[in-house]
Amino acid sequence: MVFSELTRDRARQIIARYPEGRSRSALLPLLHLVQSEEGYVSPDGISFCAEVLGLTKAEVGAVATFYTMYKRKPTGDWLVSVCTNTMCGVLGGDKAYQALSDYLDVGHDETTADGKITLEHAECLAACDYAPVMTVNYEFFDQVNADSALTLVKQLQNGERPQPTRGTRLCTLKEMAVQLAGFADDRGDDVIADGPAGGPTLAGNRLAERFGIAVPGFDPATPIAKKAETPPPAAPASTPKPASDAKPAGDGPLPQKEAKA
């Protein structure tokens, strides 16, 4: 695939963020960038990243296969991830995943026949206090069950974009990949972070307000103090005597017995 001039221009912008000689650090956002155009990291995407960074395709492929956010086969507009780790699983995540799998007729990391929805079970979505949770293109839907998960997916099939429990409004996986590559959401400020903060998220702040706890003042312009260098240890006053060689360190070989005539 020949990548668009927009993607190539964005690639140059990403690489320019890093110091000279450190351009390989741009690999992670570049992988998101090629995914934003193709919907996954294809062999062509691997070659593109290797070309612009001066890396081998093996080096790029090793990174792309390590992180689960980089998809190695075509993925739908809507990546539906259901947490089936212990906390979410026992509270209903397993049932929600199975209900979606049966309804969509797909298994883990599979995409519906129309290419719109990809389903996956997630090992952990780091939101145990809202369990069970699922995400659509990494936006959270909290305390789901089999019925609410099905309702959500049917809305996606009908062309709707349901509001996540927390965070911004839904965008497609390709649109999300542009943001993950480091470019601002071009939908405007009216859709950014317009979801309410959940109760567990605010619990710490509420306790701090209740007990009058506040962090010490801090000036962001204050330079970070360097640790004092530890001086090297002083040389010993006298050199220790070498071990005596009067006695061998080990037993000598045993004498061989003479063979009997």
Side-chain angles (χ1 to χ4, degrees), residues 18-231:
Y18 298 88
E20 185 177 356
R22 304 289 182 180
S23 62
R24 66 185 300 151
S25 298
L27 179 55
L28 296 182
L30 280 176
L31 287 169
H32 285 299
L33 182 66
V34 296
Q35 187 160 274
S36 75
E37 182 159 343
E38 295 189 284
Y40 72 115
V41 179
S42 69
D44 287 337
I46 296 287
S47 298
F48 175 80
C49 292
E51 171 194 338
V52 297
L53 293 178
L55 301 174
T56 66
K57 289 187 284 187
E59 289 173 317
V60 176
V63 174
T65 55
F66 182 83
Y67 296 101
T68 59
M69 291 180 77
Y70 302 123
K71 304 305 177 185
R72 300 309 311 279
K73 59 184 179 181
T75 304
D77 291 334
W78 310 110
L79 174 64
V80 177
S81 311
V82 183
C83 184
T84 55
N85 209 331
T86 305
M87 179 70 76
C88 285
V90 299
L91 291 177
D94 288 338
K95 292 181 180 178
Y97 173 83
Q98 193 58 53
L100 293 180
S101 180
D102 293 341
Y103 172 72
L104 296 171
D105 194 26
V106 295
H108 170 64
D109 198 26
E110 294 181 353
T111 303
T112 54
D114 61 3
K116 295 296 183 182
I117 297 177
T118 299
L119 177 67
E120 67 177 8
H121 66 75
E123 180 61 22
C124 181
L125 293 175
C128 300
D129 44 353
Y130 296 99
V133 297
M134 61 183 282
T135 61
V136 177
N137 295 345
Y138 311 116
E139 299 293 351
F140 280 95
F141 292 86
D142 300 333
Q143 297 174 332
V144 298
N145 55 40
D147 291 336
S148 63
L150 283 172
T151 298
L152 172 62
V153 163
K154 290 175 182 178
Q155 288 177 304
L156 295 174
Q157 290 179 318
N158 292 334
E160 302 175 46
R161 297 195 180 192
Q163 175 66 42
T165 309
R166 297 171 283 128
T168 188
R169 301 177 201 176
L170 289 182
C171 60
T172 66
L173 186 65
K174 288 183 178 180
E175 292 168 338
M176 177 58 72
V178 173
Q179 297 174 42
L180 293 173
F183 297 93
D185 189 337
D186 59 7
R187 294 177 295 167
D189 294 340
D190 60 329
V191 301
I192 297 176
D194 55 354
T201 301
L202 299 175
N205 286 342
R206 288 171 177 161
L207 286 172
E209 289 177 356
R210 178 181 174 186
F211 293 102
I213 301 172
V215 298
F218 174 72
D219 181 3
T222 302
I224 299 175
K226 295 183 178 179
K227 293 182 179 180
E229 295 185 2
T230 305

Side-chain angles (χ1 to χ4, degrees), residues 5 7-17 30 33:
E5 187 55 38
T7 295
R8 291 184 175 275
D9 180 61
R10 283 174 168 168
R12 289 189 286 268
Q13 293 181 50
I14 291 172
I15 294 171
R17 298 171 188 165
L30 280 176
L33 182 66

